[in-house]
Amino acid sequence: MLQQPDPLRTLMTVRGGQLTAVTCASCGCRLQADPEESGTWRHFGALGGRDAMGHRTACVELVHDGSGRVAVPA
């Protein structure tokens, strides 16, 4: 299996005492760290307003924080 470089891998977080992938608080989709902006997350495989599974979600192209919530610009 082809491994992704470390900066592109989905990082893990602790939720409820369990080690888990970072997911969107709105829709539950998996997020990946944004390599261009540290501390921000984006939907995994987002393309053309759809997530990796092809679903349309309102937050698919928005930046998220480490807890999976849509980040509000300051």
Side-chain angles (χ1 to χ4, degrees), residues 11-48:
L11 300 178
M12 304 298 269
T13 189
V14 176
R15 235 185 235 137
Q18 300 276 338
L19 189 62
T20 183
V22 179
T23 56
C24 178
S26 298
C27 64
C29 292
R30 187 164 46 119
L31 301 175
Q32 65 184 10
D34 187 341
E36 296 176 10
E37 297 179 55
S38 80
T40 62
W41 301 79
R42 294 195 175 266
H43 277 260
F44 178 78
L47 182 64

Side-chain angles (χ1 to χ4, degrees), residues 43-72:
H43 277 260
F44 178 78
L47 182 64
R50 296 179 185 263
D51 65 10
M53 295 181 64
H55 300 132
R56 286 188 188 272
T57 60
C59 58
V60 74
E61 294 185 8
L62 299 175
V63 177
H64 294 65
D65 62 17
S67 65
R69 293 186 186 103
V70 175
V72 179

